[in-house]
Amino acid sequence: MSKRNDITRRLGELLAERGADRYSCEVSEEETHEFNVENGGFSLLRTVFSTDVSLRVFLGRKMGKAGGNDVSEDGLASLADSAIATAASAEEDPAWDLAPDQGRETVSRGPMTPDMDGLFTRTTELLDTIARDYPEIAVTRCMTKYTRGHSLYTNTNGTMLDESRGLYDIMLEFAGRAGEKTTSLNYVYFLTDRLDVPFIGQSDLRQNLENTRGSLRAENLPGKFEGTAILMPECLESFLWSLISIYASDQVIMDGTSPWLDRVGEQVAHEALTLSLTPSDPRIMDGERHTAGGFWSEDCTLIEKGVLKAHMLSLYAANKTGRPVMKNTGFSLAVTPGEKSLDDMIRGVKKGILVGYFSGGEPASNGEFSGIAKNSFLIEDGRLAGALSETMINGNLEKVFRHIAGISREVRANGQTLLPWVAVDGVVISGK
Amino acid sequence: MLEGSFIDLSRLFRDGEQTVLRANELRTRRVVLLNGELIQNQRSGSRGVSALVCRNGSRGFASTGSVSAGEAERVLRSAAENAAFLSRNAPRDLPKLPACPKRRIDAKREIIDTPQRTLIDGVRALDAFVAGLPGLVSRRVFYYEDSQEKWICTSDACDGHVTIPRCYFYVEMNAEAKDGSTVSIMQAYGGLGGFTEQFADLSRLYDGIRTQHGWLMDKREGVYAQAGLKTVVMGGDLTGMLAHEAVGHTTEADLVLGGSVAGTNLNKPVASPLISLVDYAHTVSGGEAPLPLLLDDEGIPAEDAWIIRDGILTGYMNNRESAARFGVTPAGNARAWDYSDEPLVRMRNTAILPGRDKLSDMIASLDDGYYLLVTGNGQADATGEFMFGINMGYEVKNGKLGRAILDTTVSGVAFEMLKTVDMVSDELVWTSNGFCGKKQPMPVGCGGPALRCRMTIGGR
């Protein structure tokens, strides 16, 4: 029997002794080995062994959460005491609940043994390839790591998920450099479960390296205009999370301030947009397996051909509002790709901007956004007309997603999300 | 609580290695009310031991989530193996780090745990006050605290005990704007210490909350700012964000070595002569800094780091390795958040120093500009380009406050923008509730006076 099983069993005994009616318990054990590279040299090799416990405890309809990592007998007793005291201090709320019994599952994915020599070789190869193919690029930070995780989720309704996962993470931070000139920092992150493919060709790394190299000749944009913004996947991802937060998340539905409060079944975006969460897609490496409330996570569609299908509600928010629960509390965003190539999308833009990523204040609760278009390029008459510096973009989230001008057939699959390039009209682009 | 006996484990260290052993405990507490309903109620903790070993210029780190002499031996062994791996496969030609005279530096504060019931009662009491304010369509009142406790044991630097507890109430108010949409402002109230120390008398928060409410009522009638380069008066909160994001990050030594704009500007004018900027360790003007630090996570005593003096860039923030590279003495900027995190170069309490001008005179001097008050987030780049979100501000016309403005973003290039500063107020304002994000979160203090300057405002 695993250590996780022993911890879970003992916590069950301790919670029962203390009067818990129901509970969920998740015990996670992880081992991480991480190479850190700074400014051309391996600066650190880091190893972490961790065991974490997360409890959600019910005393009648009072709920409290507690977490810790001290799994000694005293530590578990203290954690149980803390969870019980937290629950006891709460008020009764019938909206707190656990999902019904989902059954028992054991799943395993990815390599369970780290190949640190292989990871070191691929890391060195990546840095050498960048130095050779992109001599103007300076890698300021690179982190490559292997993580093996085992988690056991159980609850008193009978659900049990025993999950094992092995993954490699790659994070690269880089800038263009020529003499004293330096570009903005750019970032690429992806997951993989294999080391037999060089890192350089994965995700949208090469495209970002090219864009950063091009940014060495960035110029200010004079004046301002309204045009088309082609959002690269990294930018699209931040816009979509802001959209969900402002229009479809727990808080704005519970407090009634969402502009989409009563718009399920209505057109809220362009018919080209289908937005989903797809943890079961084989290209997603770290998909959620169970929700916080104890459901098995499912692939869910929030917007289908521009029509709002559901709000992204947890079990608590669903019970609170009487609306359907979304059986997904994860992060595996996917947008259905289009038919045009990215090159054709650029050719279709009279005047606009290609946006690498967005750096701005949180969009307002009415969807208004304003911020810097980082790693961006001017588009004129269907061609990239030069890299831009100190350029801002402004608009309204709901409005731009109603005015989609195109979605690429290319998709960035970085192991966490599946996102294409999306062109949106109605963006105000302003220079210094 | 962690045991003090941990500090005596240097007998486990090996010759020829520079070693830091750290026992680390992190605790957080959170209670959230949404329109009076309790939607979050949680307590969590994380404790463990880590070892950082440097041998022949190669560094290895290891950590585990148990605190004992046996686990300390385990992580020391693992960290040494990691250092050896890098030494074999990717050696670096670095000199041995200069030793630091050994002494014991101990924390001045205790960490006091408050029962969850007390926290919930406190949030309920404050929520009741907020609920009585007119014109709100929704409100969220929440309490958050975190506390860090560390025992540091080193081979060739100082040993000691570090405690940094802090706690805050956050009040988010929402109102209906004239176009039917929702406008919002969130503010934090609190600081160093535990719940009882900060919030024994909640009525001390009422004036600030009433001011926040007044701003929200003005924002209901708000207009969009005009985009472009404008003359603005930034409130102290924003100046603190500027000091941290636009200047602070570019002067962290790891970013300097990575090519940040600060690297080519040492000993050169980078700001108006009215500007001086310091990363304070523990004391400001004879009093405690917002989040005082006496000892960093490499065992280096924490001292102030002067970054800009009278407009001249005079220094960077370092860890032991970067300080050795630059030929300076480290000032205690190496910090880690959790037991599993390695120390990185981080800020502590970063502020632009106050000047002589009165805020009222600064606003009166604007013919056509903005007075910017509240920010929620910010980001900076190695080029010095920065942005931060503005959640509250006012038009200023002919020296008088006008209409409130709706949410927008301001941006600029730090060393260009700072050269436009021509007035600096005489009052220093601090915030300490935020987190700096740089691989790991880190509590930081940010401070500043009001500044009059030119910056780019986003908008249609």
Side-chain angles (χ1 to χ4, degrees):
Chain A
M1 180 171 288
S2 71
K3 184 176 165 190
R4 301 182 294 290
N5 283 327
D6 291 340
I7 292 169
T8 301
R9 178 189 48 74
R10 184 61 187 134
L11 275 169
E13 292 166 355
L14 291 166
L15 289 171
E17 287 167 16
R18 287 154 175 76
D21 298 308
R22 294 171 299 144
Y23 65 85
S24 69
C25 172
E26 185 146 27
V27 181
S28 305
E29 295 174 278
E30 275 196 0
E31 181 178 323
T32 296
H33 304 276
E34 177 187 85
F35 288 111
N36 286 262
V37 178
E38 281 185 30
N39 305 315
F42 280 82
S43 58
L44 187 75
L45 175 54
R46 173 173 163 259
T47 295
V48 178
F49 304 100
S50 65
T51 303
D52 293 291
V53 181
S54 176
L55 292 176
R56 191 181 277 219
V57 169
F58 295 77
L59 297 174
R61 289 295 192 181
K62 297 184 179 185
M63 195 282 289
K65 285 170 67 172
N69 71 333
D70 183 351
V71 296
S72 64
E73 177 64 23
D74 286 347
L76 292 180
S78 176
L79 183 61
D81 287 337
S82 182
I84 292 287
T86 305
S89 63
E91 289 105 21
E92 294 219 347
D93 186 344
W96 288 114
D97 205 353
L98 290 172
D101 186 1
Q102 305 286 290
R104 302 167 81 80
E105 276 205 18
T106 300
V107 296
S108 180
R109 180 176 182 172
M112 289 294 118
T113 308
D115 177 359
M116 294 308 292
D117 287 332
L119 183 60
F120 179 80
T121 301
R122 283 292 182 214
T123 304
T124 308
E125 174 191 65
L126 173 65
L127 297 169
D128 290 344
T129 305
I130 292 173
R132 183 193 68 224
D133 293 355
Y134 305 93
E136 309 92 337
I137 298 291
V139 176
T140 50
R141 278 193 307 154
C142 174
M143 284 183 293
T144 59
K145 73 178 179 187
Y146 170 82
T147 301
R148 174 176 60 224
H150 302 282
S151 68
L152 179 64
Y153 172 86
T154 57
N155 69 35
T156 44
N157 283 348
T159 303
M160 187 213 78
L161 174 66
D162 192 340
E163 183 180 6
S164 297
R165 203 192 308 245
L167 274 180
Y168 295 98
D169 286 48
I170 294 84
M171 193 290 291
L172 212 64
E173 176 191 274
F174 51 92
R177 205 139 300 142
E180 287 197 357
K181 206 169 180 184
T182 185
T183 70
S184 287
L185 290 171
N186 200 354
Y187 308 85
V188 172
Y189 174 79
F190 58 92
L191 303 174
T192 183
D193 57 4
R194 49 198 293 206
L195 293 179
D196 58 344
V197 178
F199 292 157
I200 189 67
Q202 298 198 37
S203 188
D204 55 352
L205 177 54
R206 278 210 186 269
Q207 183 165 51
N208 275 283
L209 290 166
E210 293 282 353
N211 285 354
T212 295
R213 179 159 61 184
S215 295
L216 277 166
R217 295 173 292 281
E219 295 186 357
N220 292 331
L221 176 77
K224 72 178 178 189
F225 65 94
E226 182 171 315
T228 302
I230 298 182
L231 311 177
M232 290 181 64
E234 188 65 26
C235 180
L236 177 66
E237 186 173 356
S238 69
F239 273 29
L240 290 173
W241 281 119
S242 292
L243 190 79
I244 291 170
S245 173
I246 291 167
Y247 293 95
S249 64
D250 277 6
Q251 179 178 330
V252 296
I253 301 300
M254 286 197 292
D255 73 7
T257 59
S258 164
W260 291 358
L261 188 66
D262 296 310
R263 305 206 52 204
V264 173
E266 295 182 17
Q267 199 84 24
V268 296
H270 193 281
E271 63 181 9
L273 182 67
T274 295
L275 172 63
S276 308
L277 295 156
T278 58
S280 73
D281 190 297
R283 295 168 292 177
I284 300 291
M285 305 279 166
D286 63 349
E288 181 192 71
R289 286 289 188 170
H290 71 84
T291 69
F295 287 104
W296 289 154
S297 296
E298 297 177 356
D299 291 352
C300 299
T301 299
L302 284 88
I303 297 174
E304 185 169 22
K305 296 182 180 171
V307 175
L308 181 65
K309 305 301 287 183
H311 301 119
M312 192 171 172
L313 295 184
S314 66
L315 178 59
Y316 175 78
N319 287 343
K320 203 72 184 167
T321 58
R323 295 168 185 262
V325 63
M326 178 160 283
K327 294 179 184 176
N328 194 302
T329 49
F331 304 96
S332 308
L333 282 183
V335 169
T336 302
E339 316 242 319
K340 282 188 186 178
S341 71
L342 176 60
D343 286 345
D344 282 344
M345 281 169 61
I346 292 172
R347 274 192 275 274
V349 174
K350 176 78 179 150
K351 193 164 188 189
I353 186 170
L354 175 68
V355 185
Y357 68 94
F358 177 76
S359 175
E362 291 296 321
S365 45
N366 62 359
E368 289 291 309
F369 65 86
S370 168
I372 305 174
K374 297 291 236 181
N375 295 303
S376 59
F377 291 79
L378 182 66
I379 305 174
E380 281 185 325
D381 298 321
R383 294 184 313 113
L384 294 182
L388 293 171
S389 67
E390 297 186 67
T391 300
M392 297 189 86
I393 55 173
N394 310 273
N396 182 280
L397 282 176
E398 183 179 357
K399 285 186 182 152
V400 297
F401 283 111
R402 281 185 175 278
H403 293 94
I404 290 176
I407 297 182
S408 71
R409 60 172 181 247
E410 296 93 337
V411 169
R412 181 196 73 174
N414 67 354
Q416 285 195 320
T417 59
L418 301 167
L419 297 174
W421 283 248
V422 175
V424 294
D425 290 333
V427 175
V428 175
I429 300 147
S430 56
K432 210 167 163 177
Chain B
M1 298 290 285
L2 298 174
E3 297 244 336
S5 59
F6 185 80
I7 209 164
D8 298 322
L9 293 180
S10 57
R11 68 182 187 280
L12 302 175
F13 297 168
R14 303 201 300 197
D15 290 339
E17 291 175 351
Q18 291 176 296
T19 305
V20 181
L21 197 60
R22 168 168 48 98
N24 201 117
E25 182 165 34
L26 182 61
R27 292 185 299 177
T28 64
R29 309 286 184 253
R30 190 189 301 266
V31 176
V32 181
L33 294 187
L34 177 65
N35 293 333
E37 303 262 20
L38 183 66
I39 64 167
Q40 271 196 51
N41 177 26
Q42 65 187 67
R43 300 167 74 81
S44 68
S46 169
R47 61 180 2 220
V49 62
S50 70
L52 178 64
V53 168
C54 184
R55 188 181 187 100
N56 300 328
S58 293
R59 297 193 315 159
F61 178 93
S63 66
T64 185
S66 299
V67 182
S68 68
E71 292 299 319
E73 281 189 271
R74 181 183 176 207
V75 296
L76 281 165
R77 203 165 43 243
S78 183
E81 285 167 3
N82 286 347
F85 180 100
L86 288 185
S87 185
R88 278 194 311 275
N89 294 286
R92 296 193 298 167
D93 184 20
L94 287 179
K96 189 173 173 182
L97 302 176
C100 168
K102 186 171 275 293
R103 59 188 166 106
R104 171 88 175 242
I105 298 174
D106 280 332
K108 292 184 177 175
R109 274 179 181 275
E110 267 189 273
I111 292 176
I112 298 170
D113 199 13
T114 307
Q116 196 77 358
R117 182 75 250 171
T118 304
L119 304 180
I120 292 176
D121 289 345
V123 181
R124 282 241 165 264
L126 196 66
D127 181 68
F129 175 76
V130 177
L133 297 170
L136 301 183
V137 299
S138 73
R139 68 193 188 275
R140 190 166 60 117
V141 177
F142 65 100
Y143 175 82
Y144 170 81
E145 73 170 63
D146 59 50
S147 65
Q148 297 178 288
E149 183 181 12
K150 308 175 189 188
W151 287 99
I152 313 277
C153 178
T154 71
S155 58
D156 65 339
C158 297
D159 302 332
H161 184 214
V162 175
T163 57
I164 307 178
R166 61 175 192 161
C167 61
Y168 304 90
F169 276 107
Y170 291 79
V171 176
E172 178 187 306
M173 301 177 189
N174 301 292
E176 185 173 338
K178 57 190 178 188
D179 66 353
S181 66
T182 304
V183 291
S184 178
I185 298 180
M186 185 162 76
Q187 287 285 87
Y189 304 90
L192 183 70
F195 181 87
T196 307
E197 182 177 352
Q198 277 289 333
F199 302 121
D201 178 7
L202 284 180
S203 67
R204 293 190 307 117
L205 308 185
Y206 291 172
D207 281 348
I209 294 172
R210 287 191 192 98
T211 299
Q212 178 187 347
H213 178 259
W215 289 341
L216 184 69
M217 294 301 103
D218 290 343
K219 196 173 173 181
R220 285 189 311 181
E221 309 292 326
V223 297
Y224 287 109
Q226 291 294 310
L229 192 62
K230 302 289 181 186
T231 302
V232 306
V233 171
M234 300 168 48
D237 281 2
L238 269 72
T239 304
M241 178 71 81
L242 180 81
H244 177 91
E245 291 293 347
V247 182
H249 276 303
T250 59
T251 58
E252 290 170 328
D254 48 343
L255 270 72
V256 173
L257 291 166
S260 85
V261 65
T264 53
N265 280 291
L266 191 63
N267 299 319
K268 294 180 184 173
V270 295
S272 153
L274 297 174
I275 297 294
S276 293
L277 190 154
V278 179
D279 181 61
Y280 289 100
H282 44 76
T283 305
V284 181
S285 301
E288 221 171 13
L291 298 175
L293 185 72
L294 298 175
L295 180 71
D296 83 355
D297 296 327
E298 288 184 326
I300 299 299
E303 306 289 343
D304 296 344
W306 274 82
I307 307 299
I308 298 176
R309 197 186 291 267
D310 302 326
I312 308 292
L313 183 67
T314 54
Y316 306 133
M317 288 170 274
N318 290 283
N319 59 12
R320 287 182 77 180
E321 182 177 310
S322 66
R325 283 185 193 243
F326 286 119
V328 298
T329 304
N333 283 94
R335 307 174 68 194
W337 170 240
D338 204 350
Y339 74 90
S340 54
D341 293 324
E342 75 277 25
L344 301 175
V345 177
R346 307 307 295 263
M347 288 174 263
R348 299 154 313 172
N349 302 279
T350 316
I352 288 175
L353 272 56
R356 300 175 191 275
D357 296 300
K358 294 295 177 192
L359 176 62
S360 53
D361 293 338
M362 294 167 70
I363 293 172
S365 74
L366 291 182
D367 292 328
D368 180 13
Y370 295 95
Y371 175 38
L372 306 176
L373 281 160
V374 176
T375 179
N377 69 312
Q379 201 171 46
D381 203 330
T383 56
E385 186 175 46
F386 67 89
M387 77 84 199
F388 35 90
I390 301 297
N391 303 126
M392 187 62 207
Y394 289 91
E395 297 179 315
V396 180
K397 306 277 188 195
N398 301 315
K400 298 207 183 321
L401 292 183
R403 297 173 295 182
I405 57 172
L406 298 172
D407 292 355
T408 187
T409 297
V410 294
S411 68
V413 176
F415 293 159
E416 289 176 18
M417 191 282 285
L418 285 174
K419 288 175 183 167
T420 71
V421 173
D422 56 9
M423 294 179 86
V424 180
S425 80
D426 59 0
E427 190 181 343
L428 179 57
V429 172
W430 286 99
T431 59
S432 64
N433 58 293
F435 280 101
C436 173
K438 179 181 170 181
K439 192 181 180 192
Q440 318 152 11
M442 183 58 65
V444 291
C446 306
L451 300 181
R452 196 181 101 131
C453 57
R454 301 267 291 164
M455 58 170 55
T456 302
I457 295 194
R460 295 171 183 267

